[in-house]
Amino acid sequence: MARIRDCLYEDKTRHGTLRYRFRKDRDSPRITLPGKPGDAVFEDAYQRLLSGQDIRKSALDRPRSKHAPGTFGDLAELYFVHMDELLDSKKLALATHKQRHNLIGRVMPILRDGQMATMEARHIRHVMQQFKNTPHQANNLLKSLRAMFKFGVKVGYLEADPSVGVESNSKVTDGFRPWEIDQVRAFYAHHGLGTKANLAMTLLIITACRRSDLVRLGPGNVQSIEGKPYLSFVQEKTGFRDRTKVVVPLVDALASAIRATPTGEHTFLVTD
C-alpha cells in the first residue's frame, strides 16, 4: 500500500479496483473510505477517522445484496462482507478467506435462491455430493458453510444452523506416500541448479513449510541474526492468536539455489 496522507493509504482490491484505506497504527484495522480524495463524503469520513470516530457499519447495516431477502445468496453476500472485515482486522487468514469465498461461490448456483428458513441438512448433503470425487474439498465446503451459518445465527439472520447433523468424510485418503531418498536424488538429477523446480524443492526441504507459505517466501524473509543469514516467516494458515514464527538457517545449499535461480522482487518463486 502507498501512503498518501497521514494514516491514509492507496491500494487495489483483488479485482484491481482502486481504494483508499485509513489505518491509525499497526495494531488498528484498515478502514475503507467512501469515494476518493477531494469528494465531500471522503473528506468528511477522513476527518472523522482522524478524530477517533469509527465510521464502519456492521454487515447487516450495509446496502442489501442483489439476492432476495432470506435466501442463501443474500446470507452469503452478507457473510462475504463480514469476512472482508475480519481480514482487514487480521482476525482471518487470507488463505481461509479465499477458500471460503471460493467454495461458497461454487455452490451459489445450486443454493442461492433457496430460503434459509426452510433449508435442511439434506440440502447440505446434496451440495456436498457435487464434491464426491474430492472428499477433502467436500469437508472444506462443510467447514465454510458452517462458518457462514454460525455468523447467520450470531447476527440473528438464522434461528439454527441447517448443517447440524451433516457428517464430514471421516477418512479422506491415506495421504501422499513420502518420497524415498533415491527419488529425491532423481528429482535433483533431472531439475538442475538454477531451475525453479530445484529451488522449490530446496526451500521445501530446508523450511518444511506449507505450499501456501512456500509461494510467499522471498528476499524480505531473509534476516541476519548474530551476523548469520536466516530465513524467517510466519505460517499463514495458523490462527492469528497463536501464529507460529519459523526461523531456519539459510544454509549454503539454499543460498546457492537462490543465487542461481531467477527470482522476483518480492518472492523467490515467480511464474513464467
Side-chain angles (χ1 to χ4, degrees), residues 203 206-210 213-214 216-218 221-223 230-236 243-248:
L203 282 166
I206 299 300
T207 67
C209 66
R210 297 180 175 92
D213 293 318
L214 173 68
R216 297 187 302 115
L217 294 177
N221 297 103
V222 178
Q223 67 178 87
Y230 284 79
L231 201 60
S232 171
F233 63 95
V234 176
Q235 293 178 317
E236 184 180 79
R243 300 184 75 190
T244 303
K245 184 175 183 179
V246 178
V247 181
V248 296

Side-chain angles (χ1 to χ4, degrees), residues 4-242:
I4 60 175
R5 285 190 201 172
D6 185 27
C7 304
L8 184 63
Y9 300 85
E10 178 185 272
D11 71 350
K12 291 183 178 181
T13 68
R14 62 182 181 276
H15 303 298
T17 303
L18 191 65
R19 64 182 172 184
Y20 300 91
R21 313 181 86 182
F22 183 94
R23 191 180 191 189
K24 194 75 171 178
D25 52 52
R26 292 184 62 183
D27 296 323
S28 300
R30 300 181 181 94
I31 301 175
T32 301
L33 279 76
K36 60 183 183 298
D39 293 347
V41 65
F42 179 95
E43 298 300 339
D44 176 66
Y46 177 64
Q47 292 301 323
R48 287 166 59 194
L49 286 168
L50 280 177
S51 67
Q53 297 182 50
D54 191 345
I55 67 169
R56 292 173 296 175
K57 296 180 180 180
S58 69
L60 290 179
D61 292 330
R62 303 292 179 86
R64 299 311 297 269
S65 73
K66 60 185 178 181
H67 302 284
T71 61
F72 179 93
D74 187 47
L75 174 59
E77 288 298 321
L78 289 174
Y79 182 59
F80 291 161
V81 171
H82 175 64
M83 283 203 299
D84 289 343
E85 293 172 348
L86 291 178
L87 184 65
D88 287 345
S89 58
K90 292 188 173 182
K91 294 179 181 178
L92 184 70
L94 178 60
T96 304
H97 179 281
K98 289 181 177 179
Q99 182 185 71
R100 290 180 182 176
H101 202 290
N102 175 58
L103 290 173
I104 294 172
R106 287 179 63 180
V107 300
M108 282 282 275
I110 303 173
L111 295 177
R112 63 185 169 202
D113 297 324
Q115 286 290 326
M116 292 305 306
T118 58
M119 189 164 291
E120 300 174 353
R122 59 189 177 90
H123 298 113
I124 309 304
R125 293 190 184 97
H126 173 70
V127 294
M128 286 184 66
Q129 280 298 308
Q130 311 303 312
F131 298 81
K132 61 183 179 181
N133 294 326
T134 52
H136 184 69
Q137 204 165 40
N139 285 346
N140 285 331
L141 169 64
L142 182 59
K143 290 179 184 178
S144 299
L145 291 175
R146 281 181 170 159
M148 185 177 77
F149 297 150
K150 181 179 180 180
F151 160 77
V153 172
K154 182 178 180 180
V155 300
Y157 198 99
L158 300 176
E159 291 186 3
D161 179 354
S163 70
V164 172
V166 179
E167 297 182 353
S168 60
N169 295 287
S170 58
K171 183 177 181 180
V172 178
T173 67
D174 292 329
F176 294 104
R177 183 170 62 86
W179 279 17
E180 301 292 339
I181 188 63
D182 288 341
Q183 292 174 300
V184 177
R185 291 190 179 116
F187 180 91
Y188 275 116
H190 183 76
H191 300 284
L193 190 66
T195 63
K196 183 164 57 176
N198 181 288
L199 175 57
M201 176 63 82
T202 306
L203 282 166
L204 287 169
I205 290 176
I206 299 300
T207 67
C209 66
R210 297 180 175 92
R211 184 175 59 181
S212 58
D213 293 318
L214 173 68
V215 297
R216 297 187 302 115
L217 294 177
N221 297 103
V222 178
Q223 67 178 87
S224 177
I225 301 177
E226 297 182 351
K228 296 182 180 180
Y230 284 79
L231 201 60
S232 171
F233 63 95
V234 176
Q235 293 178 317
E236 184 180 79
K237 295 183 72 173
T238 307
F240 282 102
R241 293 181 180 177
D242 58 348

